[in-house]
Amino acid sequence: MRTNLKHFINGEWIESTGNETSDVINPATEKSIGKISLGTKEDLDKAVAAAKAALPTFSRTTKEERIKMLRNIAKGYEKRKQELIEVMTEELGAPLKISEEVHYEMGLSHFKEAANALEDYTFEKDHGSYKVVKESIGVSGLITPWNFPTNQTSTKIAGAIAAGSPMVLKPSELTPYAAMILAEIIDEAGVPKGAFNLVNGTGSTIGDGISSHPDIDFVSFTGSGAVGEKIMQNAAKTIKKVALELGGKSPLVVLEDADVEEAAKIAVSHIAMNTGQVCTAATRIIIPASMKEKFEEAVKKVLPSFPVGDPLNKDNVTGPLVAEKQWDRVQDYIKKGMDEGAKLLIGGTGKPDGLETGYFVKPTVFTDVSNDMVIAQEEIFGPVTTIITYNDLEQALEIANDTIYGLAGYAVGKDQETLDYVAKNIRAGQIIVNDAEQDRAAPFGGFKQSGIGREWGAFGIEEYLEPKAIMGVKVPAKV
Ligand code: NAP
Ligand code: MG
């Protein structure tokens, strides 16, 4: 059992002031893997006080000191590779292969990229009659979801450390153990006490407490739009800056000249990877009407190359959904799609054969979808996708942008001018063309209702900084 009932506050693991606990469930077995404490407002107050006390010294550490901390964390993270992979497979249900190749790797990349970005970053700049100094924004509250237990936490922690901003993290109560390992790694990496604090608990107590706390200056949140809205409302009362990384309903635009099999493979990979529990997943596959039959055949052909099943089996790519609540939600969307007249190409309701235990879902592809259907407008967060056809490129872009979201966009095809045109005309924060790899130094975040702000690399550091203008001092800017 992984039970750890303590919170990490002011450089120590301390008992919760309450006695409420919660079981962490392995979604593949439906069994508890351990308990955590559900923290209280008092626990949160202690963590915020520790962060506030750390601010004067932590914010004045040098860039070189913080680069060293980030590189030490990266080394510590690498040392605990196997454990991190196993814990994410247990608490999230991610297949071992995905835990290693995606989750482990993403978490690591953010510490490395923040250190790299810091090497080139200047915190002071002369502008003649004034200079601008960028300083820590103050105490930062980090609230993260369950779908990427090390990626979502690491990108925020790395940005905050790089900026010299002390923080309080509340990880998702569904996937707390990867975050608790991160806390141990940070503890050993020379980060001053109080600069990093972790309080476990529910969104309604600790999450709400963070977004309304008078001593927290900035909240960085990743999760659902509904909670994002509440956080903004709470934050408004004490004029906190907020960064929100919310949902998506991202388009994948397939061009006329695309290789049909390649396009189908990319489309299916989006619902297979992390069981479709990905905010950037392409879940509206926008294809030329003339390609429809061929594309549907190619999807059917490629689907078995993404096997669904036991996360401990190294061949499997798709595991269960994280929780029963998510399973019910995804089932409702599949029913909804059938009710609103979309055609099931593959999949459907219920569990895949032989996978009765665990929150497994049949990878499901709807075709004959029109973009105004609920399944084309709402984020499903499961292995469910939709095929929508277009007649000319302008119509494809119109469909692509007909959404409240704008997190990511994808294009597949050959003609580079057309790909560039599509990339520039999808209103979203990150566009990936063909099989390009996601560079973690690039900014990440959403247009429209997908969020506010950017994470990763240098943009991610800026979120935790405030510019200060200084006039009349004769000391030149330090580089
Ligand atoms: P969520 O409810 O938005 O939870 C995200 C985080 O916010 C969790 O740590 C949660 O705590 C916390 N939280 C909940 N209520 C809060 C409040 N009133 N104030 C402050 N923090 C609060 O997301 P979810 O329940 O995990 O998933 C629901 C849906 O959100 C998904 O189906 C998906 O559509 C979307 N989602 C998007 C992303 C993304 O990356 N964009 C990630 C995850 C989910 P708890 O531990 O108590 O839940
Ligand atoms: Mg929740």
Side-chain angles (χ1 to χ4, degrees):
M1 289 300 248
R2 294 188 179 271
T3 295
N4 176 353
L5 298 178
K6 295 183 176 175
H7 308 294
F8 186 73
I9 298 175
N10 206 25
E12 282 178 80
W13 289 96
I14 64 165
E15 301 287 345
S16 192
T17 57
N19 46 26
E20 231 187 306
T21 62
S22 163
D23 277 293
V24 179
I25 305 295
N26 177 334
T29 62
E30 303 180 28
K31 295 211 167 76
S32 173
I33 59 167
K35 287 182 191 296
I36 53 161
S37 284
L38 297 180
T40 63
K41 289 263 161 120
E42 206 181 328
D43 296 324
L44 177 63
D45 282 341
K46 282 189 197 170
V48 175
K52 195 179 170 187
L55 179 66
T57 44
F58 190 48
S59 63
R60 279 184 234 137
T61 50
T62 64
K63 171 169 123 166
E64 288 67 33
E65 287 170 320
R66 300 201 295 274
I67 290 171
K68 200 167 159 212
M69 291 174 206
L70 289 163
R71 300 238 183 261
N72 284 347
I73 295 172
K75 271 188 228 140
Y77 186 99
E78 281 170 322
K79 268 199 212 138
R80 299 187 70 174
K81 178 173 180 175
Q82 206 46 41
E83 216 180 323
L84 283 162
I85 291 169
E86 283 165 16
V87 85
M88 286 188 277
T89 291
E90 278 182 32
E91 65 185 8
L92 174 64
L96 284 170
K97 182 182 167 66
I98 303 299
S99 283
E100 176 167 1
E101 293 170 13
V102 182
H103 293 284
Y104 169 80
E105 189 278 321
M106 285 189 92
L108 178 61
S109 71
H110 295 305
F111 293 112
K112 290 187 170 172
E113 291 301 347
N116 294 344
L118 214 44
E119 306 264 7
D120 300 326
Y121 202 83
T122 43
F123 286 85
E124 292 192 23
K125 198 169 173 216
D126 276 320
H127 293 268
S129 60
Y130 67 97
K131 65 177 173 180
V132 173
V133 180
K134 289 187 183 158
E135 291 182 2
S136 163
I137 194 166
V139 176
S140 298
L142 319 178
I143 304 172
T144 54
W146 42 264
N147 63 332
F148 282 88
T150 56
N151 166 56
Q152 320 279 31
T153 45
S154 296
T155 185
K156 295 185 195 311
I157 296 167
I161 289 179
S165 289
M167 70 204 91
V168 178
L169 167 69
K170 186 207 97 63
S172 167
E173 66 193 280
L174 299 181
T175 57
Y177 292 130
M180 293 172 96
I181 293 177
L182 275 183
E184 291 171 3
I185 294 168
I186 293 165
D187 187 25
E188 288 169 8
V191 175
K193 75 180 173 105
F196 173 84
N197 305 277
L198 181 155
V199 180
N200 275 321
T202 62
S204 52
T205 303
I206 306 301
D208 185 87
I210 285 176
S211 60
S212 48
H213 205 291
D215 288 335
I216 289 184
D217 304 284
F218 169 52
V219 178
S220 178
F221 168 78
T222 298
S224 62
V227 173
E229 193 183 319
K230 273 193 208 154
I231 285 173
M232 276 185 98
Q233 281 169 358
N234 269 352
K237 291 174 202 147
T238 47
I239 320 294
K240 285 185 212 329
K241 181 176 122 172
V242 293
L244 304 174
E245 204 274 274
L246 309 174
K249 193 74 192 177
S250 299
L252 186 162
V253 176
V254 179
L255 302 186
E256 296 272 2
D257 66 2
D259 178 300
V260 178
E261 249 130 67
E262 184 60 23
K265 195 170 134 207
I266 292 174
V268 172
S269 73
H270 278 266
I271 56 167
M273 220 285 287
N274 220 34
T275 320
Q277 302 166 119
V278 183
C279 46
T280 52
T283 48
R284 293 182 299 136
I285 313 302
I286 305 172
I287 62 165
S290 59
M291 195 187 273
K292 187 169 177 273
E293 280 72 34
K294 272 197 201 135
F295 188 82
E296 290 173 356
E297 280 317 302
V299 164
K300 283 196 222 160
K301 205 171 121 193
V302 78
L303 196 75
S305 60
F306 296 89
V308 185
D310 183 359
L312 295 173
N313 178 334
K314 289 216 155 91
D315 296 330
N316 287 334
V317 175
T318 304
L321 292 176
V322 71
E324 189 170 14
K325 191 178 126 201
Q326 291 298 117
W327 192 88
D328 290 340
R329 195 183 123 100
V330 170
Q331 297 301 309
D332 285 346
Y333 275 113
I334 297 174
K335 277 182 217 132
K336 181 83 195 164
M338 289 153 70
D339 289 348
E340 60 187 347
K343 184 175 146 200
L344 258 184
L345 181 70
I346 285 176
T349 54
K351 293 191 175 178
D353 286 344
L355 293 171
E356 279 72 27
T357 303
Y359 311 121
F360 292 95
V361 172
K362 294 177 191 161
T364 297
V365 181
F366 282 106
T367 189
D368 294 330
V369 174
S370 85
N371 198 53
D372 57 4
M373 289 179 182
V374 170
I375 55 164
Q377 287 295 319
E378 294 184 11
E379 185 176 47
I380 298 175
F381 237 58
V384 181
T385 196
T386 61
I387 300 173
I388 304 167
T389 58
Y390 69 85
N391 296 312
D392 63 59
L393 195 60
E394 290 310 317
Q395 190 194 8
L397 287 169
E398 209 175 288
I399 296 168
N401 289 324
D402 180 14
T403 166
I404 59 168
Y405 295 112
L407 190 56
Y410 304 83
V412 182
K414 293 198 181 75
D415 182 68
Q416 291 298 312
E417 294 289 327
T418 313
L419 288 168
D420 190 51
Y421 181 78
V422 170
K424 286 182 178 149
N425 284 286
I426 295 176
R427 286 182 45 74
Q430 198 172 79
I431 309 290
I432 296 183
V433 170
N434 291 325
D435 58 355
E437 282 205 20
Q438 202 178 38
D439 190 326
R440 307 277 152 60
F444 177 81
F447 283 30
K448 304 197 279 184
Q449 292 188 33
S450 285
I452 300 175
R454 293 292 179 272
E455 302 197 285
W456 303 6
F459 279 85
I461 300 172
E462 300 247 305
E463 292 285 16
Y464 298 86
L465 294 171
E466 287 275 29
K468 174 188 281 178
I470 299 180
M471 278 150 264
V473 170
K474 307 286 182 247
V475 181
K478 287 193 198 112
V479 182

